[in-house]
Amino acid sequence: AKKAKFHGFRPGHAPAAMVRAAYGQEIQFDAINALVSAAFVEKVQEGKYHVSGYPDIAPTEGAPENEDTMSFTATFEVFPDVEVPDMKDASVTDADVEKTLDVMRKQRATFEKADKTAADGDRVIVDFKGTLDGVAFEGGTAKDYAFALGQGRMLPEFENAIRGMKAGETKTFNLTFPENYPAKNLAGKEVQFEVTLKEVDEEILPALDDKFAKDLGVNDGIDKLKADVKENLQREVTARLEART
């Protein structure tokens, strides 16, 4: 009332009824908001709620009417209780290190010609010709084609036919291409292959010694290489688990 300005009245001298008519609803709204906010904060603190976002506040249905008391209902979401996993259990074992070293050895493997039957891990060199209804199809013929058995580079039926063969042997077998084979003219079709195994090369893995470590740039020996591998694995495992968490 002291600050209200009305035409024909000095500030602070307007009749109370005029001030109430002009500002009463706004003042009541501000007062209710202040009271409700204070009451809501008090109840949240009492309940130790971790409130997420803004509450939905509405008059309480069925509450008795009273000029001196008002009742409201606040509906709100709270943050869930999250149990953070203990990352200390994400440890790397010696078996994990050995497995990684085996992969590193395979990446640096050499091959030597051997007088043996073809088995997984061997590199084989073959000539083959595939026919569909007696006619050679595109991409089905090759000479001196080399690949490692057991790595899934060829269709399973093709690799199964070569396992157990020796250099110089020839085999004819049927093969059915998968329904989802990229070449539509061969998808789901049964074809015939004639394969000649020309050479079997046995995989030779490097020894796990100081020379192997040095070849990988670790001059302090195989024990230092193992320690480095374990440290790197631990860092990768921890980062992967933290990202997943």
Side-chain angles (χ1 to χ4, degrees):
K2 293 180 180 179
K3 298 178 182 178
K5 294 182 180 180
F6 293 93
H7 184 68
F9 294 92
R10 287 182 298 157
H13 288 78
M18 185 177 291
V19 176
R20 185 178 295 109
Y23 297 104
Q25 188 173 1
E26 179 183 345
I27 291 171
Q28 185 182 35
F29 180 80
D30 290 343
I32 290 175
N33 272 350
L35 290 169
V36 168
S37 296
F40 176 72
V41 170
E42 180 182 353
K43 291 300 181 182
V44 166
Q45 291 175 344
E46 286 180 6
K48 298 181 180 180
Y49 301 115
H50 192 187
V51 180
S52 169
Y54 294 97
D56 179 17
I57 293 178
T60 302
E61 293 184 7
E65 295 185 5
N66 189 321
E67 291 184 359
D68 299 325
T69 305
M70 61 181 179
S71 177
F72 68 91
T73 299
T75 305
F76 53 93
E77 293 185 347
V78 296
F79 286 100
D81 293 327
V82 178
E83 183 178 348
V84 180
D86 185 359
M87 302 305 293
K88 290 186 294 185
D89 292 336
S91 58
V92 174
T93 65
D94 290 340
D96 296 326
V97 175
E98 293 297 329
K99 185 177 180 180
T100 301
L101 289 171
D102 286 342
V103 172
M104 296 168 68
R105 293 173 69 201
K106 283 184 173 294
Q107 291 172 341
R108 290 156 182 82
T110 57
F111 292 89
E112 292 184 2
K113 187 175 181 179
D115 183 18
K116 64 187 290 290
T117 57
D120 284 349
D122 293 335
R123 182 177 64 188
V124 294
I125 300 176
V126 298
D127 292 344
F128 61 84
K129 179 180 180 180
T131 57
L132 174 62
D133 298 328
V135 180
F137 55 85
E138 184 178 356
T141 302
K143 294 284 187 181
D144 296 326
Y145 187 79
F147 69 95
L149 270 178
Q151 294 186 358
R153 183 173 173 181
M154 308 294 284
L155 290 173
E157 295 89 342
F158 195 96
E159 292 198 0
N160 286 336
I162 295 176
R163 288 187 182 94
M165 291 179 64
K166 295 192 68 173
E169 293 182 349
T170 297
K171 180 184 288 187
T172 300
F173 59 94
N174 293 337
L175 180 152
T176 300
F177 282 100
E179 294 291 343
N180 60 349
Y181 194 69
K184 301 302 182 184
N185 61 315
L186 298 174
K189 300 291 182 63
E190 184 180 63
V191 300
Q192 189 175 74
F193 273 100
E194 180 181 271
V195 176
T196 298
L197 180 57
K198 303 179 74 172
E199 185 176 315
V200 178
D201 297 330
E202 188 175 15
E203 182 183 43
I204 307 298
L205 297 176
L208 200 59
D209 53 17
D210 291 347
K211 181 181 181 304
F212 179 72
K214 189 173 183 179
D215 290 342
L216 289 169
V218 180
N219 296 321
D220 296 332
I222 189 63
D223 290 338
K224 180 63 167 60
L225 174 62
K226 290 181 178 180
D228 288 349
V229 168
K230 188 170 186 176
E231 182 180 347
N232 290 335
L233 285 176
Q234 184 66 65
R235 183 165 52 249
E236 292 173 5
V237 168
T238 300
R240 186 164 59 248
L241 289 177
E242 286 179 350
R244 186 178 68 184
T245 301

